[in-house]
């Protein structure tokens, strides 16, 4: 790698509708790309309609490419757990189904260990009244979502779901993590 070019890492998270999670991570420094997609299901070619119908086994996810010199995997975990409810099985708010499950799909053994350790710390701290049900598993059968889902909130901030569901999560992340926000 040429000098001055950062070595990037990847992380994949499922926290309900990918529009919410994507919008939050796009606002963080050190995050160079966020792609909405489908992961950890059995269909070899999932589509939005098939995933929403619930038969593919896929979760709506975001794949985050980040510069670990600017933001750590642990910081990404902190943001992820702050902006979704990891205690509801197969749902986030009014979004119900296995495609909306809470999941961390790891790219290597270090991420798996870090995710499990972080969940254990959260559990021991009793921050949540109910048990954390976040799935931690190796990334499998990932597919990018259709082009119209990419950067959806950015393109449709006044659309109903975006205004009433996505925007509050973005606002929450900005309030909780001002030191992690992009400055550009």
């Amino acid at each position: 790698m040429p000098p001055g070019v950062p070595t990037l890492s990847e992380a994949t998270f499922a926290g309900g509708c990918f529009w919410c999670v994507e919008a939050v991570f796009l606002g963080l420094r050190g995050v160079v790309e966020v792609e909405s997609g489908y992961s950890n299901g059995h269909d070899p070619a999932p589509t939005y309609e098939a995933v929403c119908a619930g038969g593919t086994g896929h979760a709506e996810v975001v794949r985050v490419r980040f510069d670990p010199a600017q933001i750590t995997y642990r910081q990404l975990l902190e943001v992820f757990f702050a902006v979704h409810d990891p205690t509801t099985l197969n749902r986030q708010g009014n979004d119900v189904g296995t495609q909306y499950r809470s999941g961390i799909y790891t790219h290597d053994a270090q991420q798996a260990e870090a995710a499990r350790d972080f969940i254990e710390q959260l559990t021991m701290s009793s921050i949540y009244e109910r048990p954390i049900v976040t799935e931690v598993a190796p990334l499998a059968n990932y597919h990018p979502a259709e082009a119209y889902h990419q950067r959806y909130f950015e393109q449709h901030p006044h659309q109903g779901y975006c205004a009433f569901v996505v925007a509050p999560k973005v606002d929450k992340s900005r309030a909780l993590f001002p030191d992690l926000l992009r400055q550009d």
Side-chain angles (χ1 to χ4, degrees):
M1 184 124 333
V5 176
T7 301
L8 300 179
S9 294
E10 290 187 350
T12 302
F13 300 100
C17 176
F18 44 37
W19 298 343
C20 295
V21 185
E22 176 194 61
V24 167
F25 283 118
L26 279 170
L28 302 178
R29 69 170 156 72
V31 171
V32 298
E33 181 183 3
V34 181
E35 179 179 70
S36 291
Y38 314 109
S39 183
N40 289 60
H42 57 270
D43 190 315
T47 64
Y48 182 67
E49 291 74 20
V51 170
C52 285
T56 70
H58 285 81
E60 288 192 14
V61 300
V62 294
R63 180 180 267 182
V64 179
R65 292 184 69 222
F66 65 100
D67 178 355
Q70 293 185 50
I71 190 165
T72 66
Y73 184 68
R74 181 176 174 90
Q75 289 170 316
L76 294 175
L77 289 170
E78 290 170 2
V79 172
F80 172 68
F81 278 98
V83 298
H84 87 292
D85 183 351
T87 69
T88 54
L89 186 62
N90 300 327
R91 90 174 296 149
Q92 287 297 305
N94 291 329
D95 294 330
V96 179
T98 58
Q99 68 272 28
Y100 300 116
R101 66 188 177 264
S102 176
I104 301 169
Y105 300 111
T106 58
H107 292 252
D108 57 38
Q110 292 80 20
Q111 284 187 357
E113 182 179 355
R116 287 187 182 96
D117 287 349
F118 192 77
I119 290 170
E120 184 177 332
Q121 290 169 15
L122 288 175
T123 300
M124 299 302 286
S125 73
S126 300
I127 289 174
Y128 299 103
E129 292 180 16
R130 297 184 308 261
I132 294 171
V133 296
T134 303
E135 172 179 61
V136 178
L139 181 70
N141 199 18
Y142 174 81
H143 297 271
E146 296 81 355
Y148 69 92
H149 289 295
Q150 308 304 327
R151 301 179 87 95
Y152 193 86
F153 176 68
E154 189 177 278
Q155 297 174 48
H156 307 282
H158 303 294
Q159 185 261 4
Y161 188 90
C162 290
F164 294 106
V165 179
V166 182
K169 290 183 183 226
V170 171
D171 292 344
K172 180 179 183 179
S173 70
R174 289 177 180 161
L176 290 174
F177 302 100
D179 57 322
L180 295 180
L181 298 178
R182 336 181 136 265
Q183 300 303 311
D184 49 13

